[in-house]
Amino acid sequence: MSFLKWNGIDPVKEFIGFENWFELLKDNIFRRALGNNFIIVILSIAIQLPIGMALAVLLDSGGRKLNLFKTVYFFPMLMSSVAVGILFKYVYDPQFGIVTAFLNAVGLKRLVLNWLGEPGVALYSVIAVICWQYIPFYMIYFLAAMTSIPGELFEAAWIDGATRGQYFWQIVLPLLKGTVRTAAILSLVGSLKYFDLIYVMTEGGPVNSTELMATYMYKNAFTTFRMGYGSTVAMALFLVVMVTSILVFSITKREERG
Amino acid sequence: MKKSILRLQVSIICISLIATLALAGCSSANKEKPKQDQSAAQEQTKTAEKSAPAADKEKAEKKKIVFWHIQSTGNGPKIIQNSVDRFKAENPNVEVEVVPLQNDPFKTKLKVAMGAGNPPDIFPTWSGGPLYEYVKAGQVADLTDMMNKDNYKDYFLDGAISMVTFDNKIWGVPVENIAVAGIFYNKKIFEENGLSIPKTYNELVDIVKKLKAKGITPFALANKTKWTGSMYYMYLVDRIGGPDVFKKAATRTGGTFEDEAFVKAGQMVQELVKLGAFSDGYNGLDYDTGQSRTLMYSGKAAMELMGTWNIFTVKSENEKFYNENLDFFPFPAVEGGKGDPNNVVGTVGDNFYSISKKSKNPEDAFKVIQFLIDEESVKERAADGKIPPIKGFKPENPLLQRVMGMLEKAPSVQLWYDQYLPPELGELHKDTCQALFGLSMTPEEVAKKMEEGAKKFFGK
């Protein structure tokens, strides 16, 4: 389909060879979308995994009395992205939103920004929400892996006089290596094909500043009646996801085996 | 080391293999999809036929009409159902399947259905570019003869008929609502600050400055939605250069989007932005979730340029505000502008019902549509706060009477640009307009980009 010029309704589909692909290579908005996707990938991995890990360690060492927190922290994960998107539209409201109200209350009025309205800021506002939504997932994921570490190891380390820090860095982390790697790839693939939350919150705007490959694909295929070009974007998205995940997978695997 | 190189090679081969496979799979799958849908649909009808008992022959012969609509709020669905029931009472041999849909999913669903060759008999559009797209694709039935029969088309406002006339043929029936854009304002704020209704753009700028000095946001604007900001731009273009500037540029008949009027309108929009005329963070606020209306209700903002559907949205959301504070005035004139200040931007019909070319019973489908806008439904729509696009209609609501008055006086009604233009250019207009409001493109750049887009699309 990416070789066709088709509006999605006409019975006639015109074959135009690689024209869509040439246009894609020259398309600034697509390039921007690709860049935004990678910013999300990098920040997601850099923010979500460490915080998820820290929370997991906290909950793991806290034992049963922190069970309530486990539920509370996990809560964002239970909400649909669309609901989260609508919720945060109000949170970020520049007049009535909680963020604005909080900054005003603590006397940081000059830090109040147009969270979703400023092209330079909107992407990071959205990333913050993505992190809020997905950190619990990694927390539970790591927590599950940690509970599978046998208790004897902790006792042995304790007897040897290891501190908590040493125990974490030298025993837990190496044992969780595989888990972390899988988490990173999950986060990578998820971030590359990210769609719903962004679409609800900004629709890729303002002025394409939060455009992602998936939102751009949707717009082309279903709003501007350019099914052929939309398919080209979809195909490119697919290739990017596949190539990067295979690369990351092979690199981390090689590292693991030395 | 060697091992890893080997692994890399293997993975590269794997990637390319999978990629080609996926490409091939993807394209063939897509080609087959419409067929599959069709055959699935055929199968469905087959099984339906089979399951119908032979004795019930009369029922099997019943003609069937599938009718999609998007009147999902308030009394909308009820009014439509009442019309259909009246139709059924008079035409017992026709079965009508009414499918109510949500606005945005509907757009996608209609496209997929058309592409798959399985469209509904009756479907709504907003006329303009998207409808013309379907007309060009040969998917819409020509209604000219049926509209001319017994001069049926004279029942409707001329402006409404002209909105669904392409290539000198009529492709749809205007039914739902007339909506024009006007500036809604808070009467109390105007009184308290000694402001009067502006007749010219300069007077409007004065009001903006005065309100700003008092710490009141002059205009509530939720421009994530994009068409909201576009309203200011459309009115300014119209007031500066008259309606022909846009029409000539959009239909490629001797006009260009780089016309002075477009650039000047862009400059004026940016002047307003720089004066702080719009609510904070306007480019991130969402009209659909009411983020601009809450500014009006709370008294933080004094005005909002909006379609007249706003009258009933406000009435249902905040009756107190509606009774005590809400009023509106037409967009002011621009000094030295060519456009008649009585011109309005809006739509004369809102939802237009068309019949798809594949429909087996176009005559019956047309009858169903006639029932949607018969006397009874006109009454029901009026009670629901809508203005049906028919001649001689007198609404009871005083605000709506003024809307009707504006419309009767208007020498020209400009359909929203994003609906008038072909979808691809409509989106480009909304994007560039949002950039204009965000000060991230100059008016000249916007004009140039629109002209380039139009040239590319029309090939001239």
Side-chain angles (χ1 to χ4, degrees):
Chain A
M1 207 132 92
S2 61
F3 301 116
L4 297 174
K5 181 180 179 180
W6 186 39
N7 61 8
I9 44 172
D10 210 317
V12 186
K13 299 165 198 170
E14 191 189 335
F15 183 81
I16 50 166
F18 279 96
E19 215 170 280
N20 280 332
W21 287 93
F22 292 135
E23 189 181 338
L24 188 78
L25 292 178
K26 283 187 291 185
D27 189 342
N28 281 329
I29 301 178
F30 178 76
R31 232 175 281 166
R32 176 139 198 198
L34 186 67
N36 284 344
N37 265 123
F38 276 101
I39 293 176
I40 293 188
V41 167
I42 290 163
L43 289 182
S44 288
I45 295 180
I47 296 171
Q48 290 172 12
L49 300 198
I51 297 183
M53 181 66 88
L55 283 174
V57 169
L58 202 73
L59 290 180
D60 188 44
S61 60
R64 280 215 152 161
K65 57 189 180 229
L66 289 180
N67 265 354
L68 173 69
F69 289 98
K70 248 184 247 181
T71 325
V72 173
Y73 290 147
F74 195 62
F75 196 67
M77 199 61 214
L78 299 175
M79 290 168 72
S80 93
S81 296
V82 176
V84 170
I86 293 174
L87 175 74
F88 271 87
K89 248 183 342 203
Y90 290 114
V91 169
Y92 280 136
D93 190 299
Q95 294 274 351
F96 307 103
I98 296 176
V99 180
T100 311
F102 173 75
L103 286 176
N104 282 342
V106 296
L108 290 170
K109 208 169 174 174
R110 66 203 158 81
L111 285 184
V112 172
L113 292 166
N114 296 326
W115 304 108
L116 295 174
E118 198 75 54
V121 183
L123 183 64
Y124 300 98
S125 307
V126 174
I127 290 176
V129 182
I130 297 177
C131 290
W132 178 81
Q133 196 192 7
Y134 280 96
I135 283 171
F137 170 75
Y138 295 107
M139 173 191 84
I140 294 293
Y141 193 64
F142 291 141
L143 198 57
M146 277 176 199
T147 40
S148 69
I149 297 172
E152 294 92 66
L153 275 179
F154 177 68
E155 278 164 31
W158 192 69
I159 289 165
D160 287 344
T163 61
R164 275 194 180 278
Q166 279 172 329
Y167 169 69
F168 174 75
W169 289 110
Q170 287 168 15
I171 297 174
V172 177
L173 210 52
L175 281 172
L176 290 189
K177 218 171 172 183
T179 319
V180 173
R181 195 185 63 225
T182 320
I185 287 171
L186 277 177
S187 172
L188 173 96
V189 175
S191 308
L192 281 177
K193 59 188 178 69
Y194 214 76
F195 175 74
D196 39 10
L197 188 83
I198 298 246
Y199 199 75
V200 171
M201 285 183 76
T202 65
E203 263 169 55
V207 205
N208 301 111
S209 60
T210 56
E211 200 77 77
L212 301 181
M213 287 186 286
T215 57
Y216 193 51
M217 168 194 85
Y218 183 85
K219 273 186 195 168
N220 269 300
F222 295 108
T223 345
T224 59
F225 286 64
R226 299 186 66 199
M227 204 52 123
Y229 192 62
S231 310
T232 314
V233 176
M235 210 50 231
L237 165 65
F238 170 71
L239 287 177
V240 169
V241 170
M242 199 175 60
V243 170
T244 38
S245 48
I246 288 179
L247 275 180
V248 170
F249 209 72
S250 62
I251 289 169
T252 47
K253 216 159 194 178
R254 202 177 334 149
E255 266 174 8
E256 192 187 13
R257 292 192 190 163
Chain B
M1 190 64 202
K2 242 185 182 175
K3 229 180 173 179
S4 64
I5 288 175
L6 191 73
R7 197 178 300 127
L8 197 68
Q9 279 173 337
V10 170
S11 54
I12 287 173
I13 292 168
C14 277
I15 295 172
S16 45
L17 247 175
I18 297 170
T20 40
L21 275 177
L23 265 167
C26 191
S27 56
S28 65
N30 281 325
K31 264 181 216 146
E32 265 163 31
K33 209 180 168 217
K35 259 194 209 160
Q36 273 175 355
D37 279 3
Q38 258 177 348
S39 61
Q42 276 167 2
E43 215 138 280
Q44 263 181 1
T45 49
K46 257 187 216 164
T47 47
E49 276 163 19
K50 263 185 209 163
S51 63
D56 207 346
K57 220 179 174 186
E58 200 186 323
K59 203 172 185 183
E61 274 170 16
K62 236 183 176 186
K63 288 188 267 184
K64 191 177 175 195
I65 287 178
V66 179
F67 168 30
W68 289 7
H69 73 83
I70 51 164
Q71 299 301 316
S72 51
T73 53
N75 291 321
K78 216 178 86 199
I79 295 172
I80 290 203
Q81 194 56 50
N82 290 347
S83 301
V84 171
D85 289 345
R86 282 197 302 278
F87 169 82
K88 276 186 188 163
E90 284 188 25
N91 301 275
N93 63 327
V94 184
E95 193 187 331
V96 185
E97 186 190 336
V98 182
V99 187
L101 294 160
Q102 290 288 328
N103 194 14
D104 282 303
F106 154 76
K107 294 181 196 165
T108 316
K109 202 175 151 118
L110 181 65
K111 254 191 94 193
V112 173
M114 290 277 189
N118 195 14
D121 296 272
I122 304 173
F123 62 92
T125 62
W126 294 261
S127 81
L131 174 62
Y132 193 41
E133 203 75 17
Y134 288 121
V135 168
K136 278 191 297 186
Q139 299 274 18
V140 187
D142 176 4
L143 304 181
T144 320
D145 291 341
M146 293 192 238
M147 290 298 279
N148 282 333
K149 202 176 154 200
D150 305 328
N151 288 328
Y152 182 59
K153 76 169 187 205
D154 290 339
Y155 178 51
F156 301 95
L157 290 169
D158 296 340
I161 295 292
S162 76
M163 290 186 116
V164 275
T165 307
F166 303 108
D167 309 332
N168 292 320
K169 288 176 188 146
I170 303 171
W171 302 95
V173 186
V175 170
E176 295 293 343
N177 192 13
I178 290 171
V180 300
I183 298 180
F184 287 86
Y185 69 104
N186 185 329
K187 276 189 279 189
K188 276 223 175 108
I189 294 183
F190 267 54
E191 272 165 34
E192 280 163 13
N193 296 287
L195 303 171
S196 54
I197 289 166
K199 288 270 178 274
T200 67
Y201 176 77
N202 286 346
E203 285 173 30
L204 184 71
V205 169
D206 274 344
I207 290 177
V208 165
K209 284 179 187 158
K210 276 182 196 154
L211 286 169
K212 198 71 200 160
K214 294 265 163 113
I216 300 167
T217 305
F219 280 104
L221 171 64
N223 202 28
K224 177 213 153 192
T225 325
K226 292 182 195 163
W227 50 259
T228 40
S230 164
M231 286 182 175
Y232 295 86
Y233 183 74
M234 289 187 286
Y235 259 127
L236 286 168
V237 171
D238 187 275
R239 295 289 186 262
I240 295 164
D244 282 348
V245 177
F246 172 74
K247 213 151 269 171
K248 280 184 180 157
T251 51
R252 312 312 289 165
T253 44
T256 143
F257 281 104
E258 287 179 283
D259 192 284
E260 206 191 331
F262 292 108
V263 178
K264 184 97 190 294
Q267 285 164 351
M268 285 164 121
V269 163
Q270 296 199 332
E271 182 191 14
L272 288 172
V273 169
K274 283 173 193 156
L275 282 172
F278 303 107
S279 40
D280 286 342
Y282 50 87
N283 262 353
L285 299 182
D286 191 347
Y287 176 80
D288 297 333
T289 50
Q291 284 184 298
S292 57
R293 293 192 297 283
T294 43
L295 285 167
M296 292 288 287
Y297 299 154
S298 62
K300 289 194 180 212
M303 301 178 276
E304 181 179 19
L305 177 56
M306 191 38 67
T308 42
W309 56 79
N310 207 34
I311 295 171
F312 276 82
T313 310
V314 172
K315 195 174 176 193
S316 66
E317 280 179 351
N318 192 335
E319 187 135 16
K320 188 166 179 277
F321 185 87
Y322 171 84
N323 289 331
E324 294 169 11
N325 302 22
L326 189 75
D327 204 350
F328 77 96
F329 57 83
F331 199 88
V334 170
E335 285 85 349
K338 280 185 225 150
D340 188 324
N342 286 323
N343 287 345
V344 291
V345 172
T347 169
V348 195
D350 202 13
N351 267 194
F352 298 84
Y353 290 97
S354 297
I355 298 171
S356 63
K357 205 162 201 174
K358 288 220 171 68
S359 169
K360 289 196 192 87
N361 312 302
E363 306 278 331
D364 292 305
F366 191 72
K367 255 190 237 164
V368 173
I369 298 177
Q370 285 180 310
F371 273 89
L372 294 175
I373 183 82
D374 63 4
E375 245 173 81
E376 198 61 28
S377 338
V378 166
K379 259 187 230 157
E380 289 178 45
R381 285 217 167 72
D384 203 28
K386 288 182 168 171
I387 311 178
I390 54 169
K391 279 179 188 154
F393 177 73
K394 292 269 175 291
E396 278 171 26
N397 181 299
L399 286 178
L400 289 186
Q401 278 170 7
R402 280 172 46 208
V403 174
M404 204 65 189
M406 260 169 86
L407 205 77
E408 277 163 1
K409 265 196 306 188
S412 139
V413 181
Q414 172 62 56
L415 176 64
W416 327 110
Y417 286 2
D418 59 309
Q419 291 297 331
Y420 186 95
L421 292 166
E424 195 179 329
L425 289 179
E427 287 303 307
L428 185 66
H429 158 67
K430 283 196 289 181
D431 283 342
T432 51
C433 194
Q434 196 188 38
L436 201 60
F437 274 86
L439 302 179
S440 52
M441 273 173 110
T442 66
E444 289 81 9
E445 281 167 356
V446 168
K448 198 165 155 245
K449 198 138 191 208
M450 278 306 288
E451 182 59 20
E452 275 170 10
K455 270 192 187 134
K456 196 179 135 220
F457 185 85
F458 292 105
K460 62 180 178 184

